[in-house]
Short mmCIF file of all heavy atoms in Angstrom, two decimals:
data_model
loop_
_atom_site.label_atom_id
_atom_site.label_comp_id
_atom_site.label_asym_id
_atom_site.label_seq_id
_atom_site.Cartn_x
_atom_site.Cartn_y
_atom_site.Cartn_z
N MET A 1 7.99 -29.12 -15.08
CA MET A 1 8.86 -28.33 -14.22
C MET A 1 8.37 -28.37 -12.79
O MET A 1 7.16 -28.37 -12.56
CB MET A 1 8.84 -26.87 -14.70
CG MET A 1 10.19 -26.36 -15.02
SD MET A 1 10.16 -24.58 -15.34
CE MET A 1 9.93 -24.55 -17.06
N THR A 2 9.26 -28.42 -11.84
CA THR A 2 8.89 -28.41 -10.43
C THR A 2 9.65 -27.31 -9.71
O THR A 2 10.68 -26.83 -10.19
CB THR A 2 9.20 -29.75 -9.78
OG1 THR A 2 10.59 -30.01 -9.91
CG2 THR A 2 8.39 -30.88 -10.39
N LEU A 3 9.15 -26.96 -8.56
CA LEU A 3 9.78 -25.94 -7.74
C LEU A 3 11.13 -26.43 -7.25
O LEU A 3 11.27 -27.52 -6.75
CB LEU A 3 8.87 -25.62 -6.55
CG LEU A 3 9.20 -24.37 -5.75
CD1 LEU A 3 9.08 -23.14 -6.63
CD2 LEU A 3 8.25 -24.26 -4.59
N THR A 4 12.16 -25.62 -7.45
CA THR A 4 13.51 -25.98 -7.01
C THR A 4 14.05 -24.87 -6.13
O THR A 4 13.40 -23.85 -5.93
CB THR A 4 14.46 -26.16 -8.22
OG1 THR A 4 14.60 -24.91 -8.88
CG2 THR A 4 13.94 -27.20 -9.20
N GLN A 5 15.27 -25.07 -5.64
CA GLN A 5 15.88 -24.01 -4.82
C GLN A 5 16.13 -22.77 -5.67
O GLN A 5 16.17 -21.67 -5.14
CB GLN A 5 17.20 -24.50 -4.25
CG GLN A 5 17.03 -25.51 -3.12
CD GLN A 5 18.35 -25.95 -2.56
OE1 GLN A 5 19.35 -25.99 -3.27
NE2 GLN A 5 18.36 -26.28 -1.27
N ASP A 6 16.29 -22.93 -6.97
CA ASP A 6 16.53 -21.80 -7.89
C ASP A 6 15.26 -21.01 -8.16
O ASP A 6 15.33 -19.89 -8.61
CB ASP A 6 17.13 -22.28 -9.18
CG ASP A 6 18.45 -23.01 -8.98
OD1 ASP A 6 19.09 -22.80 -7.95
OD2 ASP A 6 18.84 -23.76 -9.89
N THR A 7 14.09 -21.62 -7.91
CA THR A 7 12.84 -20.97 -8.22
C THR A 7 12.08 -20.64 -6.96
O THR A 7 11.48 -21.54 -6.35
CB THR A 7 11.96 -21.89 -9.11
OG1 THR A 7 12.72 -22.33 -10.22
CG2 THR A 7 10.73 -21.19 -9.58
N PRO A 8 12.08 -19.39 -6.50
CA PRO A 8 11.33 -19.06 -5.32
C PRO A 8 9.82 -19.15 -5.57
O PRO A 8 9.37 -18.97 -6.69
CB PRO A 8 11.73 -17.61 -5.00
CG PRO A 8 12.44 -17.11 -6.19
CD PRO A 8 12.81 -18.27 -7.06
N PRO A 9 9.02 -19.46 -4.55
CA PRO A 9 7.58 -19.59 -4.74
C PRO A 9 6.95 -18.23 -5.04
O PRO A 9 7.47 -17.19 -4.66
CB PRO A 9 7.08 -20.16 -3.42
CG PRO A 9 8.10 -19.74 -2.43
CD PRO A 9 9.41 -19.70 -3.18
N LEU A 10 5.77 -18.29 -5.69
CA LEU A 10 4.99 -17.08 -5.90
C LEU A 10 4.36 -16.65 -4.58
O LEU A 10 3.84 -17.47 -3.84
CB LEU A 10 3.89 -17.33 -6.91
CG LEU A 10 4.34 -17.56 -8.36
CD1 LEU A 10 3.13 -17.98 -9.20
CD2 LEU A 10 4.97 -16.33 -8.94
N GLU A 11 4.41 -15.36 -4.30
CA GLU A 11 3.80 -14.81 -3.10
C GLU A 11 3.08 -13.52 -3.44
O GLU A 11 3.57 -12.75 -4.27
CB GLU A 11 4.83 -14.56 -2.02
CG GLU A 11 5.50 -15.83 -1.51
CD GLU A 11 6.56 -15.56 -0.46
OE1 GLU A 11 6.81 -14.37 -0.16
OE2 GLU A 11 7.12 -16.53 0.04
N ASN A 12 1.95 -13.29 -2.82
CA ASN A 12 1.19 -12.05 -3.02
C ASN A 12 2.09 -10.85 -2.86
O ASN A 12 2.90 -10.79 -1.91
CB ASN A 12 0.05 -11.95 -2.02
CG ASN A 12 -1.29 -12.04 -2.67
OD1 ASN A 12 -1.45 -11.89 -3.86
ND2 ASN A 12 -2.29 -12.32 -1.84
N GLY A 13 2.02 -9.91 -3.79
CA GLY A 13 2.78 -8.68 -3.71
C GLY A 13 4.13 -8.74 -4.37
O GLY A 13 4.80 -7.72 -4.47
N ASN A 14 4.55 -9.92 -4.89
CA ASN A 14 5.81 -9.99 -5.61
C ASN A 14 5.77 -9.03 -6.80
O ASN A 14 4.72 -8.86 -7.44
CB ASN A 14 6.05 -11.39 -6.19
CG ASN A 14 6.50 -12.42 -5.17
OD1 ASN A 14 6.17 -13.57 -5.31
ND2 ASN A 14 7.26 -12.04 -4.16
N ARG A 15 6.92 -8.42 -7.10
CA ARG A 15 7.02 -7.59 -8.29
C ARG A 15 7.83 -8.37 -9.29
O ARG A 15 9.00 -8.68 -9.06
CB ARG A 15 7.71 -6.27 -7.98
CG ARG A 15 6.86 -5.37 -7.12
CD ARG A 15 7.53 -4.04 -6.89
NE ARG A 15 6.67 -3.16 -6.14
CZ ARG A 15 5.73 -2.34 -6.67
NH1 ARG A 15 5.58 -2.32 -7.97
NH2 ARG A 15 5.01 -1.59 -5.89
N LEU A 16 7.20 -8.74 -10.41
CA LEU A 16 7.80 -9.65 -11.39
C LEU A 16 7.58 -9.15 -12.82
O LEU A 16 6.63 -8.44 -13.09
CB LEU A 16 7.19 -11.03 -11.29
CG LEU A 16 7.18 -11.73 -9.91
CD1 LEU A 16 6.25 -12.93 -9.95
CD2 LEU A 16 8.58 -12.12 -9.56
N THR A 17 8.48 -9.58 -13.69
CA THR A 17 8.23 -9.39 -15.12
C THR A 17 7.28 -10.48 -15.55
O THR A 17 7.07 -11.48 -14.84
CB THR A 17 9.54 -9.52 -15.95
OG1 THR A 17 10.03 -10.85 -15.81
CG2 THR A 17 10.56 -8.51 -15.48
N ARG A 18 6.66 -10.32 -16.72
CA ARG A 18 5.75 -11.33 -17.22
C ARG A 18 6.48 -12.67 -17.42
O ARG A 18 5.96 -13.74 -17.06
CB ARG A 18 5.09 -10.88 -18.53
CG ARG A 18 4.12 -11.89 -19.09
CD ARG A 18 3.53 -11.49 -20.43
NE ARG A 18 4.54 -11.26 -21.45
CZ ARG A 18 5.06 -12.24 -22.21
NH1 ARG A 18 4.67 -13.48 -22.05
NH2 ARG A 18 5.95 -11.95 -23.12
N MET A 19 7.69 -12.63 -17.96
CA MET A 19 8.45 -13.85 -18.18
C MET A 19 8.76 -14.57 -16.88
O MET A 19 8.62 -15.81 -16.77
CB MET A 19 9.72 -13.56 -18.97
CG MET A 19 9.45 -13.18 -20.40
SD MET A 19 10.94 -12.80 -21.33
CE MET A 19 11.80 -14.35 -21.28
N GLU A 20 9.15 -13.85 -15.84
CA GLU A 20 9.45 -14.44 -14.55
C GLU A 20 8.18 -15.01 -13.92
O GLU A 20 8.21 -16.09 -13.33
CB GLU A 20 10.12 -13.44 -13.61
CG GLU A 20 10.46 -13.97 -12.26
CD GLU A 20 11.53 -15.05 -12.26
OE1 GLU A 20 12.19 -15.26 -13.29
OE2 GLU A 20 11.69 -15.69 -11.21
N PHE A 21 7.09 -14.28 -14.02
CA PHE A 21 5.80 -14.75 -13.50
C PHE A 21 5.42 -16.10 -14.14
O PHE A 21 5.10 -17.06 -13.45
CB PHE A 21 4.71 -13.72 -13.76
CG PHE A 21 3.31 -14.25 -13.57
CD1 PHE A 21 2.81 -14.56 -12.33
CD2 PHE A 21 2.50 -14.47 -14.69
CE1 PHE A 21 1.53 -15.04 -12.17
CE2 PHE A 21 1.23 -14.97 -14.55
CZ PHE A 21 0.74 -15.26 -13.30
N GLU A 22 5.49 -16.17 -15.47
CA GLU A 22 5.12 -17.39 -16.17
C GLU A 22 6.04 -18.56 -15.80
O GLU A 22 5.59 -19.68 -15.62
CB GLU A 22 5.10 -17.16 -17.67
CG GLU A 22 3.91 -16.28 -18.08
CD GLU A 22 3.86 -16.03 -19.58
OE1 GLU A 22 4.70 -16.60 -20.33
OE2 GLU A 22 2.98 -15.27 -20.00
N ARG A 23 7.31 -18.27 -15.67
CA ARG A 23 8.29 -19.32 -15.30
C ARG A 23 7.95 -19.90 -13.93
O ARG A 23 7.86 -21.11 -13.76
CB ARG A 23 9.70 -18.76 -15.29
CG ARG A 23 10.76 -19.81 -15.02
CD ARG A 23 12.17 -19.19 -15.11
NE ARG A 23 12.47 -18.37 -13.96
CZ ARG A 23 12.91 -18.83 -12.79
NH1 ARG A 23 13.07 -20.11 -12.61
NH2 ARG A 23 13.18 -17.99 -11.79
N ARG A 24 7.69 -19.04 -12.95
CA ARG A 24 7.39 -19.52 -11.60
C ARG A 24 6.00 -20.16 -11.54
O ARG A 24 5.79 -21.15 -10.87
CB ARG A 24 7.42 -18.36 -10.61
CG ARG A 24 8.80 -17.85 -10.36
CD ARG A 24 8.76 -16.97 -9.16
NE ARG A 24 9.86 -16.04 -9.08
CZ ARG A 24 10.02 -15.16 -8.11
NH1 ARG A 24 9.12 -15.08 -7.13
NH2 ARG A 24 11.03 -14.33 -8.10
N TYR A 25 5.03 -19.59 -12.29
CA TYR A 25 3.67 -20.12 -12.27
C TYR A 25 3.62 -21.54 -12.75
O TYR A 25 2.94 -22.39 -12.17
CB TYR A 25 2.78 -19.22 -13.14
CG TYR A 25 1.32 -19.61 -13.13
CD1 TYR A 25 0.51 -19.31 -12.05
CD2 TYR A 25 0.75 -20.29 -14.21
CE1 TYR A 25 -0.84 -19.66 -12.05
CE2 TYR A 25 -0.57 -20.68 -14.21
CZ TYR A 25 -1.38 -20.34 -13.12
OH TYR A 25 -2.68 -20.73 -13.14
N HIS A 26 4.39 -21.86 -13.79
CA HIS A 26 4.39 -23.20 -14.34
C HIS A 26 5.08 -24.22 -13.44
O HIS A 26 4.93 -25.42 -13.63
CB HIS A 26 5.00 -23.21 -15.74
CG HIS A 26 4.14 -22.52 -16.74
ND1 HIS A 26 2.87 -22.96 -17.07
CD2 HIS A 26 4.33 -21.41 -17.47
CE1 HIS A 26 2.35 -22.16 -17.95
NE2 HIS A 26 3.20 -21.19 -18.21
N THR A 27 5.83 -23.75 -12.43
CA THR A 27 6.48 -24.68 -11.49
C THR A 27 5.60 -24.91 -10.28
O THR A 27 5.99 -25.73 -9.43
CB THR A 27 7.84 -24.14 -11.03
OG1 THR A 27 7.67 -22.93 -10.30
CG2 THR A 27 8.78 -23.92 -12.21
N MET A 28 4.44 -24.25 -10.19
CA MET A 28 3.59 -24.39 -9.00
C MET A 28 2.18 -24.83 -9.40
O MET A 28 1.27 -24.02 -9.50
CB MET A 28 3.52 -23.05 -8.27
CG MET A 28 4.87 -22.58 -7.76
SD MET A 28 4.77 -21.05 -6.82
CE MET A 28 3.83 -21.61 -5.40
N PRO A 29 1.98 -26.12 -9.62
CA PRO A 29 0.65 -26.61 -10.07
C PRO A 29 -0.43 -26.41 -9.02
O PRO A 29 -1.63 -26.44 -9.35
CB PRO A 29 0.88 -28.10 -10.33
CG PRO A 29 2.09 -28.47 -9.55
CD PRO A 29 2.93 -27.21 -9.45
N ASP A 30 -0.08 -26.22 -7.73
CA ASP A 30 -1.12 -26.01 -6.71
C ASP A 30 -1.73 -24.61 -6.75
O ASP A 30 -2.78 -24.40 -6.18
CB ASP A 30 -0.52 -26.27 -5.32
CG ASP A 30 0.70 -25.42 -5.02
OD1 ASP A 30 1.55 -25.27 -5.93
OD2 ASP A 30 0.81 -24.89 -3.91
N VAL A 31 -1.10 -23.67 -7.42
CA VAL A 31 -1.65 -22.31 -7.57
C VAL A 31 -2.66 -22.34 -8.69
O VAL A 31 -2.31 -22.63 -9.84
CB VAL A 31 -0.55 -21.25 -7.84
CG1 VAL A 31 -1.17 -19.91 -8.11
CG2 VAL A 31 0.41 -21.19 -6.68
N LYS A 32 -3.94 -22.09 -8.38
CA LYS A 32 -4.99 -22.16 -9.38
C LYS A 32 -5.29 -20.83 -10.06
O LYS A 32 -5.67 -20.79 -11.22
CB LYS A 32 -6.29 -22.67 -8.73
CG LYS A 32 -6.17 -24.02 -8.08
CD LYS A 32 -5.79 -25.08 -9.07
CE LYS A 32 -5.69 -26.42 -8.37
NZ LYS A 32 -4.85 -27.35 -9.04
N LYS A 33 -5.12 -19.74 -9.34
CA LYS A 33 -5.45 -18.42 -9.92
C LYS A 33 -4.45 -17.40 -9.41
O LYS A 33 -4.33 -17.17 -8.22
CB LYS A 33 -6.87 -18.02 -9.54
CG LYS A 33 -7.24 -16.65 -10.07
CD LYS A 33 -8.64 -16.64 -10.55
CE LYS A 33 -8.99 -15.25 -10.96
NZ LYS A 33 -9.31 -15.14 -12.34
N ALA A 34 -3.74 -16.80 -10.35
CA ALA A 34 -2.81 -15.73 -10.03
C ALA A 34 -2.82 -14.72 -11.15
O ALA A 34 -2.94 -15.07 -12.32
CB ALA A 34 -1.39 -16.32 -9.87
N ASN A 35 -2.78 -13.46 -10.78
CA ASN A 35 -2.82 -12.37 -11.78
C ASN A 35 -1.60 -11.47 -11.60
O ASN A 35 -1.24 -11.16 -10.46
CB ASN A 35 -4.06 -11.52 -11.62
CG ASN A 35 -5.30 -12.29 -11.96
OD1 ASN A 35 -5.43 -12.83 -13.05
ND2 ASN A 35 -6.24 -12.34 -11.04
N LEU A 36 -1.02 -11.06 -12.71
CA LEU A 36 0.07 -10.10 -12.66
C LEU A 36 -0.50 -8.79 -13.25
O LEU A 36 -0.83 -8.73 -14.43
CB LEU A 36 1.23 -10.62 -13.50
CG LEU A 36 2.51 -9.79 -13.38
CD1 LEU A 36 3.08 -9.87 -11.97
CD2 LEU A 36 3.56 -10.28 -14.37
N ILE A 37 -0.66 -7.80 -12.40
CA ILE A 37 -1.24 -6.52 -12.82
C ILE A 37 -0.23 -5.44 -12.54
O ILE A 37 0.17 -5.22 -11.39
CB ILE A 37 -2.56 -6.23 -12.06
CG1 ILE A 37 -3.55 -7.36 -12.30
CG2 ILE A 37 -3.12 -4.87 -12.47
CD1 ILE A 37 -4.79 -7.27 -11.46
N GLU A 38 0.22 -4.78 -13.61
CA GLU A 38 1.24 -3.76 -13.52
C GLU A 38 2.45 -4.22 -12.73
O GLU A 38 2.93 -3.53 -11.84
CB GLU A 38 0.65 -2.45 -12.97
CG GLU A 38 -0.36 -1.85 -13.91
CD GLU A 38 -0.88 -0.51 -13.42
OE1 GLU A 38 -0.28 0.08 -12.50
OE2 GLU A 38 -1.86 -0.04 -14.00
N ARG A 39 2.90 -5.45 -13.04
CA ARG A 39 4.07 -6.09 -12.46
C ARG A 39 3.91 -6.48 -10.99
O ARG A 39 4.87 -6.87 -10.35
CB ARG A 39 5.33 -5.25 -12.65
CG ARG A 39 5.67 -5.04 -14.13
CD ARG A 39 6.95 -4.38 -14.32
NE ARG A 39 8.01 -5.26 -13.76
CZ ARG A 39 9.27 -4.95 -13.70
NH1 ARG A 39 9.70 -3.81 -14.18
NH2 ARG A 39 10.15 -5.78 -13.19
N ILE A 40 2.72 -6.41 -10.43
CA ILE A 40 2.46 -6.83 -9.06
C ILE A 40 1.60 -8.09 -9.08
O ILE A 40 0.60 -8.16 -9.78
CB ILE A 40 1.76 -5.72 -8.25
CG1 ILE A 40 2.64 -4.48 -8.20
CG2 ILE A 40 1.46 -6.21 -6.83
CD1 ILE A 40 1.99 -3.28 -7.56
N LEU A 41 2.02 -9.11 -8.31
CA LEU A 41 1.36 -10.40 -8.31
C LEU A 41 0.22 -10.42 -7.28
O LEU A 41 0.38 -10.00 -6.14
CB LEU A 41 2.36 -11.49 -7.95
CG LEU A 41 1.80 -12.90 -7.86
CD1 LEU A 41 1.29 -13.35 -9.21
CD2 LEU A 41 2.87 -13.83 -7.32
N TYR A 42 -0.94 -10.90 -7.73
CA TYR A 42 -2.10 -11.07 -6.89
C TYR A 42 -2.53 -12.54 -6.97
O TYR A 42 -2.76 -13.04 -8.06
CB TYR A 42 -3.28 -10.20 -7.32
CG TYR A 42 -2.96 -8.72 -7.24
CD1 TYR A 42 -2.45 -8.03 -8.34
CD2 TYR A 42 -3.17 -8.04 -6.07
CE1 TYR A 42 -2.15 -6.68 -8.25
CE2 TYR A 42 -2.87 -6.68 -5.96
CZ TYR A 42 -2.36 -6.03 -7.06
OH TYR A 42 -2.07 -4.68 -6.98
N ILE A 43 -2.55 -13.24 -5.84
CA ILE A 43 -2.97 -14.64 -5.80
C ILE A 43 -4.26 -14.75 -5.02
O ILE A 43 -4.36 -14.24 -3.88
CB ILE A 43 -1.88 -15.52 -5.16
CG1 ILE A 43 -0.57 -15.44 -5.93
CG2 ILE A 43 -2.36 -16.98 -5.08
CD1 ILE A 43 0.57 -16.20 -5.31
N ALA A 44 -5.26 -15.41 -5.63
CA ALA A 44 -6.55 -15.59 -4.96
C ALA A 44 -6.37 -16.57 -3.81
O ALA A 44 -5.64 -17.56 -3.92
CB ALA A 44 -7.56 -16.11 -5.95
N PRO A 45 -7.02 -16.31 -2.67
CA PRO A 45 -6.95 -17.26 -1.55
C PRO A 45 -7.67 -18.56 -1.91
O PRO A 45 -8.60 -18.55 -2.75
CB PRO A 45 -7.64 -16.53 -0.40
CG PRO A 45 -8.53 -15.55 -1.07
CD PRO A 45 -7.88 -15.17 -2.36
N PRO A 46 -7.32 -19.65 -1.29
CA PRO A 46 -8.03 -20.91 -1.53
C PRO A 46 -9.50 -20.79 -1.16
O PRO A 46 -9.85 -20.09 -0.21
CB PRO A 46 -7.33 -21.91 -0.63
CG PRO A 46 -6.16 -21.25 -0.06
CD PRO A 46 -6.27 -19.80 -0.32
N VAL A 47 -10.35 -21.47 -1.88
CA VAL A 47 -11.79 -21.43 -1.65
C VAL A 47 -12.11 -22.40 -0.51
O VAL A 47 -11.64 -23.52 -0.47
CB VAL A 47 -12.57 -21.84 -2.90
CG1 VAL A 47 -14.05 -21.86 -2.63
CG2 VAL A 47 -12.27 -20.88 -4.02
N ARG A 48 -12.89 -21.91 0.44
CA ARG A 48 -13.35 -22.76 1.56
C ARG A 48 -14.76 -23.19 1.31
O ARG A 48 -15.59 -22.41 0.83
CB ARG A 48 -13.30 -22.00 2.88
CG ARG A 48 -11.91 -21.72 3.33
CD ARG A 48 -11.86 -21.09 4.68
NE ARG A 48 -13.16 -20.76 5.30
CZ ARG A 48 -13.28 -20.07 6.40
NH1 ARG A 48 -12.23 -19.65 7.06
NH2 ARG A 48 -14.47 -19.82 6.90
N GLN A 49 -15.06 -24.41 1.66
CA GLN A 49 -16.44 -24.89 1.58
C GLN A 49 -17.08 -24.70 2.94
O GLN A 49 -16.51 -25.12 3.97
CB GLN A 49 -16.47 -26.37 1.20
CG GLN A 49 -16.08 -26.65 -0.20
CD GLN A 49 -16.24 -28.10 -0.52
OE1 GLN A 49 -16.34 -28.95 0.35
NE2 GLN A 49 -16.28 -28.41 -1.80
N CYS A 50 -18.19 -24.02 2.97
CA CYS A 50 -18.88 -23.84 4.25
C CYS A 50 -19.92 -24.95 4.40
O CYS A 50 -20.52 -25.39 3.44
CB CYS A 50 -19.51 -22.47 4.37
SG CYS A 50 -20.80 -22.18 3.17
N GLN A 51 -20.13 -25.38 5.60
CA GLN A 51 -21.10 -26.43 5.89
C GLN A 51 -22.47 -25.78 6.08
O GLN A 51 -22.61 -24.85 6.86
CB GLN A 51 -20.67 -27.20 7.12
CG GLN A 51 -19.33 -27.81 6.97
CD GLN A 51 -19.35 -29.26 7.27
OE1 GLN A 51 -20.27 -29.76 7.86
NE2 GLN A 51 -18.30 -29.96 6.86
N MET A 52 -23.42 -26.27 5.35
CA MET A 52 -24.78 -25.75 5.49
C MET A 52 -25.51 -26.48 6.59
O MET A 52 -25.44 -27.70 6.70
CB MET A 52 -25.55 -25.94 4.15
CG MET A 52 -24.91 -25.25 2.98
SD MET A 52 -24.84 -23.47 3.15
CE MET A 52 -26.52 -23.06 2.93
N SER A 53 -26.19 -25.73 7.39
CA SER A 53 -26.98 -26.33 8.48
C SER A 53 -28.23 -26.95 7.92
O SER A 53 -28.85 -26.43 7.00
CB SER A 53 -27.36 -25.22 9.48
OG SER A 53 -28.22 -25.75 10.46
N LYS A 54 -28.61 -28.12 8.45
CA LYS A 54 -29.81 -28.79 7.98
C LYS A 54 -31.04 -28.26 8.69
O LYS A 54 -32.16 -28.56 8.29
CB LYS A 54 -29.65 -30.30 8.20
CG LYS A 54 -28.58 -30.89 7.34
CD LYS A 54 -28.51 -32.38 7.49
CE LYS A 54 -27.39 -32.90 6.58
NZ LYS A 54 -27.28 -34.34 6.61
N GLU A 55 -30.85 -27.46 9.74
CA GLU A 55 -31.98 -26.90 10.45
C GLU A 55 -32.40 -25.58 9.80
O GLU A 55 -31.56 -24.76 9.45
CB GLU A 55 -31.59 -26.65 11.89
CG GLU A 55 -31.28 -27.92 12.67
CD GLU A 55 -30.87 -27.59 14.09
OE1 GLU A 55 -31.26 -26.52 14.62
OE2 GLU A 55 -30.16 -28.42 14.67
N PRO A 56 -33.70 -25.36 9.64
CA PRO A 56 -34.16 -24.07 9.06
C PRO A 56 -33.86 -22.92 10.04
O PRO A 56 -33.85 -23.11 11.25
CB PRO A 56 -35.65 -24.26 8.86
CG PRO A 56 -36.06 -25.41 9.73
CD PRO A 56 -34.81 -26.24 9.94
N ILE A 57 -33.68 -21.78 9.49
CA ILE A 57 -33.39 -20.61 10.32
C ILE A 57 -34.65 -20.04 10.90
O ILE A 57 -35.67 -19.96 10.36
CB ILE A 57 -32.66 -19.52 9.50
CG1 ILE A 57 -31.33 -20.08 9.07
CG2 ILE A 57 -32.48 -18.24 10.30
CD1 ILE A 57 -30.54 -19.15 8.17
#
């Protein structure tokens, strides 16, 4: 399944049923972690890699 005009993207704060959440989640392979808690959607922000300095502090 892919995202279509009929399937709006998941966004933080959406209020969804479990069935609607699962339907949209499966159309968005780029979303790695999303939780539906009491019908409110929470999506984790993308993880950033920080560059470590080679100089000692």
